[in-house]
Amino acid sequence: MARLNWGMVGGGKGSQIGPAHRLGTAVDGKYSFVAGALDVNADAGRAFAQELGVAPDRAYGDWREMLEGERNRSDRCDLVTVATPNATHFEITKAFLEAGFHVLCEKPMTMTVEEGEEIVKIAAKTGQLCGVNYGYSGYSLVRHMRAMVARGDLGDIRVVVAEFAHGHHANAADMDNPRVRWRYDPAQAGVSAQFADCGIHALHMASFVTGQEVTALTSDFAATVPGRVLEDDAMVSFRMDGGAVGRLWTSSIAVGRMHGLTLQVFGSKGGLRWAQEQPNQLIWTPVSGRNQIIERGEAGLSPEADRASRVTMGHAEGMPLAFANIYSDLAEVIQARKEGRAPDPAADLYPKAVDGLRSMAAVHAAVASAKADGAWTDARPPMLR
């Protein structure tokens, strides 16, 4: 398969997320990194893009320059990744979609529900792919969990318990650290901090694995470090359209937790437990049975898990490989369109604009619920009610 042309907005030198995206596109040899506007400092962005091998005439100073430079090229980008600060996602994603580019946007896709609905409508109108980087859904055993639920191994899904709790913002002395401070500033982060940053990953995973969408929720937010306006700890209970109930805890002040993304799914026939820090093992317990460890890469797993497994059993699987699975999904769909064929159905697992919309609706519902002392609140975006 010919390589697809890939470009990136944001993700410059020192970025936390940029390297994971670049590694993810490089794993399978399906993309060539041909264009970038990587930094808010134009000269720094141009220089870093060229360090990474981008030609000087495609190392851009900002996203608008990149859009104009790529728009009319015969070899223009097939896919553009948006990995800029949250408040800029909507404007950049909208502009590239309207110009006919496929887009993968970092989460949160937008800052408001209205913006999210607009992106969904634009993607539908233009026919362009718009993915949202809920990258943890790319893990092999997360996809196997989804397959087990879908084929009925767990029976009726009763309860989902999701966590994303770390302790990296627990030190009050970091209040003036710019890498921490912006996350709790409404002007830069929006209406929510920890839930919008990490909680929506756990919420998306709950829906991704169960195949059910969140309809209503109740939440309790707390800003535990003096001086913070937005929450650094949140507890959310939710109900799903297939009858499951959910419990979600997310925190940035859980000292001793390094990453803390875990998912447990309990059904009438058994339960599953997976933790991102031990991604090679999935704990499966049938009703009245013993705990069983499912190893990534072992024989007899689902096609979805096999397609997403990259290294031999016993070797560590990491986040860039999960990102690589998202990029592989997108490459398959884009290439299939170019060739006029139907894509591999398993490639349709990449998170889409509607997932980003649902997440933003859940964020605003959780904020409203917390302000209303935990009142149950409709979590669905208006266009999907």
Side-chain angles (χ1 to χ4, degrees):
M1 184 176 75
R3 291 189 179 216
L4 299 172
N5 289 332
W6 176 64
M8 189 174 198
V9 182
K13 186 173 288 188
S15 164
Q16 291 180 322
I17 204 67
H21 280 282
R22 290 188 286 273
L23 287 168
T25 60
V27 167
D28 298 307
K30 295 181 179 180
Y31 294 90
S32 294
F33 183 20
V34 299
L38 304 183
D39 200 293
V40 67
N41 180 303
D43 291 337
R46 291 191 185 100
F48 186 51
Q50 291 177 67
E51 283 181 37
L52 296 173
V54 174
D57 66 327
R58 301 180 82 174
Y60 300 102
D62 61 42
W63 70 266
R64 292 181 177 86
E65 182 182 318
M66 178 172 163
L67 179 62
E68 291 308 311
E70 292 294 310
R71 186 194 297 269
N72 296 316
R73 293 185 68 110
S74 60
D75 60 347
R76 74 183 201 159
C77 293
D78 294 294
L79 176 68
V80 174
T81 292
V82 178
T84 53
N86 296 355
T88 66
H89 289 179
F90 169 70
E91 181 182 19
I92 301 172
T93 298
K94 177 177 183 289
F96 276 93
L97 286 174
E98 290 179 332
F101 293 89
H102 302 301
V103 175
L104 176 63
C105 183
E106 263 299 331
K107 41 63 59 184
M109 183 178 75
T110 62
M111 300 289 279
T112 70
V113 178
E114 292 76 16
E115 289 174 347
E117 292 190 335
E118 187 171 350
I119 292 295
V120 169
K121 291 174 182 176
I122 291 170
K125 180 179 179 180
T126 62
Q128 302 306 305
L129 304 183
C130 183
V132 183
N133 192 41
Y134 292 109
Y136 303 109
S137 64
Y139 276 102
S140 175
L141 289 182
V142 171
R143 294 189 169 192
H144 188 59
M145 293 175 78
R146 176 188 173 99
M148 289 181 69
V149 170
R151 69 192 186 195
D153 293 5
L154 279 74
D156 296 329
I157 304 304
R158 294 169 172 169
V159 179
V160 183
V161 180
E163 294 185 2
F164 198 155
H166 65 81
H168 302 305
H169 301 163
N171 191 345
D174 279 340
M175 275 294 291
D176 292 324
N177 180 341
R179 294 179 70 91
V180 175
R181 185 180 61 233
W182 77 268
R183 297 176 183 275
Y184 302 93
D185 177 4
Q188 299 182 73
V191 297
S192 169
Q194 181 59 19
F195 186 66
D197 185 28
C198 294
I200 58 173
H201 274 298
L203 195 68
H204 173 263
M205 191 173 290
S207 290
F208 180 80
V209 168
T210 64
Q212 299 185 33
E213 301 296 344
V214 176
T215 57
L217 56 76
T218 172
S219 64
D220 180 26
F221 282 11
T224 67
V225 175
R228 284 183 180 161
V229 177
L230 299 177
E231 85 288 351
D232 51 25
D233 189 275
M235 183 68 75
V236 179
S237 292
F238 55 92
R239 299 191 180 279
M240 309 185 83
D241 58 9
V245 299
R247 312 286 183 241
L248 188 155
W249 172 51
T250 185
S251 181
S252 63
I253 49 84
V255 179
R257 297 287 289 268
M258 294 298 105
H259 188 269
L261 176 60
T262 64
L263 185 71
Q264 299 178 85
V265 183
F266 305 106
S268 58
K269 295 181 180 179
L272 292 169
R273 174 164 52 91
W274 181 84
Q276 192 265 344
E277 291 178 72
Q278 294 84 38
N280 278 8
Q281 287 81 40
L282 173 63
I283 309 302
W284 159 238
T285 309
V287 166
S288 302
R290 300 175 63 183
N291 284 355
Q292 303 173 24
I293 298 176
I294 297 173
E295 290 280 351
R296 183 196 54 77
E298 70 181 34
L301 297 186
S302 60
E304 294 89 337
D306 291 342
R307 186 177 188 274
S309 186
R310 302 312 192 98
V311 294
T312 55
M313 281 181 63
H315 293 82
E317 181 182 47
M319 185 180 76
L321 292 180
F323 280 31
N325 286 326
I326 303 295
Y327 278 106
S328 181
D329 292 342
L330 287 163
E332 164 64 14
V333 177
I334 293 170
Q335 194 65 37
R337 288 190 177 191
K338 285 175 173 282
E339 298 171 0
R341 61 174 173 84
D344 180 346
D348 195 44
L349 295 184
Y350 71 91
K352 301 170 181 64
V354 70
D355 298 306
L357 168 61
R358 288 185 186 278
S359 293
M360 189 46 53
V363 167
H364 282 268
V367 170
S369 174
K371 290 180 178 179
D373 295 325
W376 279 93
T377 305
D378 195 324
R380 299 167 297 172
M383 69 181 294
L384 298 178
R385 292 179 186 174

